[in-house]
């Protein structure tokens, strides 16, 4: 669960293919391709012939044949919008390996040697697991508070191959998954 944004007065989600949204009562609504604006009241136009209606939150947007989009970027998995009293939070629910597809090329140039990309994949996987915030509404941040995660549009074949070739590999220290700190210069 990756925090993509918080404290938003409004946000827009979109998809290039039909997709759906599930509300807190587990009602599922089919949505046509396009952009949808949301505010804290979670009013959404789920029927083109009807006005927008408030849905009980949180709302979980489920992708169709193409990834969901938020803030100009495409994301694998689902996008959950959590309402607050006057602001919104958006969280991307995505598997660990697909998450790393968007992290590794965001933390290291994809033109670097395959072995360096594989080392970065193991370090990024270890760091994500060792530092996740299980009790929070999200596990990791999408920025340098955790690791840079820029979604599908930043993925590369070389980085994806490195993630796939190291699938499930993590580093341990003292019997637990190591906090594998890294930066742009180390």
């Amino acid at each position: 669960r990756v925090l993509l944004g918080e404290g938003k007065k409004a946000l827009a989600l979109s998809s290039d293919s039909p997709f759906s949204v599930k509300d807190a009562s587990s009602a599922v609504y089919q949505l046509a391709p396009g952009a949808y604006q949301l505010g804290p009241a979670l009013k959404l136009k789920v029927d083109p012939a009807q006005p927008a209606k408030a849905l009980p939150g949180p709302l979980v947007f489920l992708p169709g044949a193409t990834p969901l989009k938020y803030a100009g970027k495409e994301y694998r998995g689902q996008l959950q919008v959590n309402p607050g009293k006057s602001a919104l939070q958006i969280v991307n629910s995505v598997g660990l390996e697909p998450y790393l597809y968007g992290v590794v090329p965001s933390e290291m140039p994809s033109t670097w040697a395959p072995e360096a990309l594989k080392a970065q994949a193991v370090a990024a996987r270890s760091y994500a697991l060792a530092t996740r915030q299980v009790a929070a509404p999200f596990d990791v941040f999408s920025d340098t508070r955790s690791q840079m995660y820029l979604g599908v549009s930043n993925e590369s074949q070389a980085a994806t191959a490195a993630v796939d070739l190291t699938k499930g590999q993590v580093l341990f220290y003292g019997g637990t998954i190591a906090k594998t700190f890294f930066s742009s210069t180390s």
Side-chain angles (χ1 to χ4, degrees):
R1 300 171 305 157
V2 185
L3 179 67
L4 299 179
E6 61 185 335
K8 305 289 183 184
K9 297 289 184 193
L11 55 83
L13 301 169
S14 66
S15 178
D16 293 335
S17 64
F19 63 116
S20 58
V21 62
K22 181 171 74 170
D23 69 19
S25 71
S26 295
V28 177
Y29 303 91
Q30 299 303 312
L31 301 174
Y36 292 81
Q37 301 286 329
L38 282 170
L42 297 182
K43 286 187 176 184
L44 192 64
K45 193 166 181 81
V46 295
D47 182 345
Q50 301 291 323
K53 70 179 197 173
L55 301 176
L59 301 181
V60 178
F61 290 84
L62 309 160
T66 59
L68 297 171
K69 295 178 185 179
Y70 167 69
K73 294 181 179 81
E74 292 183 331
Y75 293 96
R76 295 177 184 274
Q78 304 171 353
L79 295 178
Q80 179 170 316
V81 177
N82 299 318
K85 291 184 183 199
S86 62
L88 299 170
Q89 178 186 72
I90 184 164
V91 175
N92 179 205
S93 294
V94 63
L96 180 60
E97 303 304 313
Y99 164 71
L100 294 172
Y101 295 161
V103 168
V104 172
S106 301
E107 290 286 355
M108 172 183 282
S110 295
T111 56
W112 284 15
E115 291 303 312
L117 291 168
K118 287 176 9 184
Q120 181 65 45
V122 173
R125 184 180 297 107
S126 301
Y127 186 81
L129 292 172
T131 62
R132 66 190 188 128
Q133 304 175 47
V134 179
F138 59 90
D139 297 311
V140 295
F141 294 95
S142 62
D143 57 29
T144 56
R145 289 175 286 180
S146 293
Q147 304 180 94
M148 289 303 299
Y149 170 65
L150 299 174
V152 174
S153 55
N154 203 53
E155 292 178 10
S156 74
Q157 289 182 348
T160 297
V163 170
D164 290 344
L165 288 168
T166 62
K167 183 175 181 171
Q169 294 180 22
V170 294
L171 296 172
F172 283 87
Y173 181 79
T176 61
I177 297 175
K179 288 183 183 174
T180 50
F181 296 105
F182 59 87
S183 71
S184 62
T185 56
S186 66

